[in-house]
Amino acid sequence: MFSFNKRKKLPRDAAPLAQKLTKTRGSLFGGLVNLLQGRAIDEDLLEDLEAHLLMADVGVEVTTAVLSALRNSVDARRAADTNAVCAELHRILVDILIPCEAPLIVSDAQPFVILVTGVNGVGKTTTIGKIAQQLSQAGQSVLLAAGDTFRAAAVQQLAQWADRLDVPLVRQGDGADSASVIFDGLQAARARGVDVLIADTAGRLHTQDGLMAELQKIKRVLGKLDPDAPHETLLVVDGGTGQNAVNQTQQFHAQVGITGIAVTKLDGTAKGGVLFALAHRFGIPVRFIGVGESADDLRPFEAGAFVEALLGE
Ligand SMILES: Nc1nc2c(ncn2[C@@H]2O[C@H](COP(=O)(O)OP(=O)(O)O)[C@@H](O)[C@H]2O)c(=O)[nH]1
Ligand SMILES: [Mg+2]
């Protein structure tokens, strides 16, 4: 059993989350304290706040909910107290995210199978590499399956991670059947007594229907060897793509059944507010946030720490 929230502390030189989220902090709460300073909560101020929330891609639904919660909870007496208003906003934002705070727990299934899905370019392969590195460092044995058989370069990219981390990789020739590669991967992982199998998949095929059918087939085929596999169907979305990330989650969840989400590239975007939209809309566990290129930049999602990093002094 391994839980990603119990992993060893970040290295001393790892940048604090607040530093990684500077851009979103700027758009979401940039000048917020200044915005609030010396002003009572009035419609003018709520309008300013609304603009900031929308700019960070928090989405209309969540923005409306935040504003109305703030209106309701800050009484006239405290409306001019900047600290009280900030604390209230903090609480409201954490409340939205809390239902999604559920770190990935690798059970003792032999092996624990993680199927990684998502459209091209969101960071699937990179996220797999980072997860594999963290698991390896925690003493778990890992096997990778190169299930993105649509592009030869995708297999190469995963092979580089396997080399770098010195973990085994199961692959087949160009244009192989993805379900067959991943099925092979599960057999190999069992034969070797590997703890965790992580399977990469394509992000695009000739048609979107074709992609969903392929993912469904992968799940079916895995289920033949182990009715509980995959134990985690992880959707990777690019945190900088705003509403697209919401649409992708809806589509993949409806077609494939997602059990966890990784939101990547939060370091490079001012639109990290999309996490609130995802949480509010789907309530699916957010397992990881990606805040950079190194393995330590894939972090377990913690609602309180995330809001703190955004609101940071
Ligand atoms: N800055 C940043 N870049 C990332 C992050 N995650 C992935 N990337 C980059 O996004 C690009 C696409 O990643 P890749 O794993 O190939 O995406 P895939 O097509 O979904 O497999 C690569 O250049 C990655 O280095 C992240 O959290 N932060
Ligand atoms: Mg890839």
Side-chain angles (χ1 to χ4, degrees):
M1 188 91 88
F2 172 78
S3 169
F4 273 90
N5 64 341
K6 293 201 190 102
R7 70 195 189 82
K8 67 174 173 44
K9 286 238 173 299
L10 284 171
R12 225 172 255 267
D13 58 350
L17 191 56
Q19 200 172 312
K20 295 289 190 173
L21 299 178
T22 307
K23 288 188 179 163
T24 297
R25 186 165 74 238
S27 64
L28 193 50
F29 298 107
L32 187 71
V33 175
N34 289 340
L35 193 78
L36 292 169
Q37 208 70 54
R39 287 171 69 183
I41 283 238
D42 56 14
E43 285 312 308
D44 239 24
L45 182 135
L46 288 173
E47 248 175 54
D48 282 352
L49 181 57
E50 179 177 33
H52 278 78
L53 291 168
L54 290 174
M55 216 151 49
D57 253 340
V58 163
V60 176
E61 272 174 46
V62 176
T63 299
T64 309
V66 169
L67 293 183
S68 92
L70 205 54
R71 270 194 197 95
N72 291 337
S73 61
V74 178
D75 60 31
R77 213 163 18 89
R78 292 190 304 145
D81 176 351
T82 308
N83 288 341
V85 174
C86 279
E88 203 46 39
L89 187 60
H90 189 289
R91 187 192 61 75
I92 292 166
L93 292 171
V94 171
D95 278 355
I96 296 171
L97 297 179
I98 274 286
C100 298
E101 182 186 280
L104 182 59
I105 293 172
V106 174
S107 75
D108 293 331
Q110 276 293 330
F112 186 85
V113 180
I114 305 174
L115 181 67
V116 180
T117 66
V119 306
N120 270 351
V122 289
K124 286 182 299 302
T125 307
T126 308
T127 299
I128 289 170
K130 291 171 176 176
I131 293 174
Q133 182 163 342
Q134 291 184 17
L135 285 169
S136 298
Q137 281 169 357
Q140 302 271 305
S141 56
V142 178
L143 187 145
L144 303 179
D148 183 356
T149 53
F150 193 64
R151 299 174 303 151
V155 177
Q156 275 311 321
Q157 193 188 347
L158 196 66
Q160 277 173 9
W161 274 103
D163 273 354
R164 198 181 316 157
L165 301 176
D166 196 23
V167 302
L169 171 80
V170 166
R171 60 191 283 182
Q172 290 176 6
D174 286 355
D177 176 44
S178 177
S180 151
V181 175
I182 295 173
F183 184 82
D184 272 4
L186 180 50
Q187 280 186 319
R190 278 192 162 180
R192 299 175 188 207
V194 161
D195 297 322
V196 186
L197 166 69
I198 314 177
D200 200 2
T201 62
R204 192 176 67 84
L205 292 185
H206 297 292
T207 68
Q208 188 68 10
D209 287 349
L211 174 61
M212 294 302 165
E214 178 169 282
L215 294 171
Q216 288 160 355
K217 180 177 166 192
I218 293 167
K219 289 186 86 166
R220 252 192 338 269
V221 162
L222 285 172
K224 286 185 182 160
L225 275 185
D226 176 353
D228 296 329
H231 305 87
E232 173 80 349
T233 303
L234 184 72
L235 177 70
V236 182
V237 294
D238 176 339
T241 60
Q243 192 58 39
N244 281 337
V246 175
N247 294 340
Q248 286 159 21
T249 304
Q250 175 166 22
Q251 206 181 9
F252 276 80
H253 192 44
Q255 306 265 356
V256 199
I258 298 306
T259 57
I261 302 177
V263 184
T264 60
K265 309 193 198 184
L266 288 170
D267 53 312
T269 181
K271 297 183 175 297
V274 74
L275 232 143
F276 294 92
L278 291 172
H280 181 77
R281 183 81 177 273
F282 303 105
I284 300 171
V286 175
R287 307 295 197 188
F288 302 103
I289 55 173
V291 294
E293 307 269 355
S294 84
D296 285 324
D297 291 330
L298 187 75
R299 305 192 180 175
F301 172 66
E302 293 171 89
F306 188 75
V307 171
E308 220 146 88
L310 290 179
L311 276 173
E313 311 312 299

